[in-house]
Amino acid sequence: MDSNTDRYRRSQELFARAAQVIPCGIYGHASPAAALPGALPYYAERADGCRYWDVDGNEYIDYLCGYGPVILGHQHPVVEEAAARQRRNALCVNHPGPVMVELAEYLVSLIDFSAWAVFGKNGSDMTTWCVQVAREHTQRRKILKVAGAYHGIDPWCTPGHAGLLDEDRAHIHDFSWNDLESFDRLLARHRGDIAGVIMTPFHHPAFKPSEMPAPGFWPHIESACRREGMVLILDDIRAGFRLDLRGSHACFGFEPDLICFCKAIANGHALSAALGRKELRVAASRVFLSGSYWNSPPAMAAALACVQILKQQEIVSTLRRSGEMLMQGLLQAGAKHGYAMLASGPPAVPFLCFIDDPSSRRQQYFCAEVARRGAFFHPHHNWFLSAAHTPEDISATLGMADDAFAVMRNEGL
Ligand code: PMP
């Protein structure tokens, strides 16, 4: 691969400056540390529809969508107008706006099992709060979760290791996705002290293919929760609104007690939400919930506009069709050049990786070569489709992938 130094010159200059004044330069998910150095842009300048431009002026068809929030396309005019109209009225005031009530009513009407909604800003706000609600409701201590699942950055669940006490995880217990024996073992060991089970609708660990639930997996978890009085919390932060507008559980034939949303709820505006069954209303009203910006109405106006468009325009089926076209095309292009690939996850939230690529080296080169041609695939985080990706955009992407595979073949990768 040729040097990308010129292509990403300004990104690299900014990163060098950032390293002086920001720990790690860029931290968290967006850290470039896990990709080939200099293979992808570090800083973005602007975005529109399904495209964005980095600070060096390079254009990309965007298959990460801001790590998921952008479901209708960047700068969607109706969502932006709803937020701007609200912002002209009030940005940060002493009381919630009427839009909070309208949004709660709309979401409760959409999410089939729910009777109430609350709002925060980030996904972690809601997963952590739901864990507390489960404990308050049951007056028990233990929380079961899946090993390798991401639920946010709070001490009970962060994937990081620094700054933690053993006590932070003393009552958090991991079982393995699709492994009911490991779930039943925890259940037997802690029976009567388990407050809740928190899970994503399908398993989407970083650096690995996604895994769908095996037949019988969700029904077993759901019936154990009902039988044992454990609160079932669905973390639908990543997949929510892309698989089913009633909540992603509707695709898998079960019902949770609490559900957490964030990401796609407001097409990029900062908002998260938790919804729950009527039986959990009392516990929900007891667990304190607040934040400096949590009542801010513009993001709520954006969410209301976004979710209404998702429903009116049946965006879920558009995303599925687009994802299918992308993944089938990529598998075919790979096969044409002799690469065996694995497509995993639902088409609207897909991931593609090379079979026999244990170090992810091929994956890294593939994403870098496609980026040089004008599309952004993340090398180790699942991808996202938006309603702004047209069949023409996807065809153009497949052409870029075809060229990238050909270059890799020539270079013996
Ligand atoms: N749960 C899941 C499944 C997520 O994907 C994320 C965000 N990647 C979170 C929780 C945490 O959300 P946030 O980063 O907004 O706190």
Side-chain angles (χ1 to χ4, degrees):
M1 192 171 62
D2 299 340
S3 160
N4 269 330
T5 308
D6 284 340
R7 179 177 170 82
Y8 298 130
R9 185 176 298 283
R10 190 156 147 66
S11 257
Q12 291 179 5
E13 283 167 6
L14 279 168
F15 190 59
R17 281 167 53 195
Q20 303 298 313
V21 289
I22 300 170
C24 298
I26 300 174
Y27 39 76
H29 289 114
S31 165
L36 285 175
L40 298 171
Y42 296 162
Y43 290 90
E45 188 87 66
R46 71 189 174 89
D48 189 29
C50 72
R51 288 180 166 69
Y52 77 97
W53 288 263
D54 70 19
V55 288
D56 289 281
N58 303 304
E59 177 178 311
Y60 305 90
I61 302 178
D62 184 3
Y63 293 98
L64 193 58
C65 297
Y67 285 82
V70 179
I71 189 169
L72 293 173
H74 295 282
Q75 307 283 352
H76 189 277
V78 177
V79 176
E80 290 314 303
E81 177 48 30
R85 202 180 321 118
Q86 181 61 66
R87 195 178 298 119
R88 284 192 293 272
N89 281 345
L91 172 62
C92 188
V93 269
N94 304 333
H95 315 281
V99 67
M100 183 171 181
V101 183
E102 288 163 34
L103 180 60
E105 285 170 349
Y106 193 75
L107 290 175
V108 165
S109 74
L110 214 53
I111 307 306
D112 43 17
F113 68 90
S114 72
W116 51 263
V118 298
F119 301 100
K121 281 288 157 198
N122 287 292
S124 307
D125 301 337
M126 294 293 107
T127 52
T128 296
W129 182 79
C130 284
V131 161
Q132 285 181 267
V133 171
R135 286 178 168 153
E136 175 62 23
H137 180 71
T138 58
Q139 296 293 303
R140 300 173 184 171
R141 299 179 298 172
K142 306 282 178 188
I143 297 292
L144 309 190
K145 68 184 241 327
V146 171
Y150 187 72
H151 297 298
I153 59 159
D154 289 321
W156 68 271
C157 63
T158 174
H161 301 286
L164 298 178
L165 306 175
D166 290 344
E167 291 86 328
D168 292 328
R169 304 277 174 99
H171 299 295
I172 307 292
H173 302 278
D174 283 3
F175 62 100
S176 303
W177 180 262
N178 275 345
D179 177 354
L180 288 173
E181 277 177 27
S182 68
F183 175 79
D184 286 344
R185 269 197 303 278
L186 286 179
L187 189 55
R189 194 172 315 143
H190 302 293
R191 178 164 273 126
D193 198 12
I194 303 175
V197 182
I198 182 164
M199 296 169 64
T200 54
F202 68 98
H203 192 41
H204 39 64
F207 295 98
K208 292 187 186 144
S210 296
E211 287 179 64
M212 301 307 274
F217 181 60
W218 269 120
H220 182 97
I221 305 268
E222 181 189 35
S223 66
C225 286
R226 301 281 167 267
R227 194 179 62 241
E228 305 288 335
M230 307 180 297
V231 176
L232 181 51
I233 307 168
L234 184 64
D235 176 350
D236 211 6
I237 285 166
R238 195 170 308 183
F241 303 111
R242 275 192 170 81
L243 304 192
D244 195 303
L245 287 190
R246 294 167 295 173
S248 298
H249 55 279
C251 302
F252 302 112
F254 72 98
E255 271 191 359
D257 301 302
L258 294 169
I259 189 166
C260 308
F261 294 111
C262 184
K263 298 206 182 263
I265 195 170
N267 203 46
H269 290 264
L271 194 78
S272 55
L275 287 90
R277 278 188 199 284
K278 65 176 185 326
E279 292 80 359
L280 287 152
R281 187 192 295 270
V282 172
S285 62
R286 285 196 193 130
V287 179
F288 192 65
L289 186 66
S290 184
S292 295
Y293 304 106
W294 287 17
N295 289 328
S296 181
M300 296 183 187
L304 189 57
C306 177
V307 182
Q308 283 172 342
I309 294 170
L310 292 175
K311 188 166 167 70
Q312 282 153 14
Q313 299 184 8
E314 296 180 16
I315 298 298
V316 166
S317 30
T318 310
L319 300 183
R320 187 177 53 243
R321 278 196 304 276
S322 301
E324 281 167 358
M325 178 181 172
L326 178 71
M327 298 319 271
Q328 281 162 15
L330 287 174
L331 288 173
Q332 275 166 14
K336 179 178 140 194
H337 295 279
Y339 290 108
M341 321 271 308
L342 175 68
S344 62
V349 191
F351 189 58
L352 184 83
C353 55
F354 291 77
I355 293 170
D356 291 335
D357 182 30
S359 66
S360 298
R361 186 163 165 265
R362 277 195 185 134
Q363 181 83 359
Q364 298 273 1
Y365 275 92
F366 174 67
C367 293
E369 285 297 334
V370 173
R372 286 154 64 89
R373 288 163 177 78
F376 189 90
F377 292 134
H378 198 290
H380 59 258
H381 186 290
N382 68 256
W383 308 342
F384 298 90
L385 273 296
S386 82
H389 291 95
T390 63
E392 292 71 34
D393 296 316
I394 295 171
S395 291
T397 308
L398 295 176
M400 296 174 202
D402 190 37
D403 291 349
F405 284 128
V407 167
M408 289 171 65
R409 208 17 109 207
N410 272 343
E411 295 188 4
L413 286 162

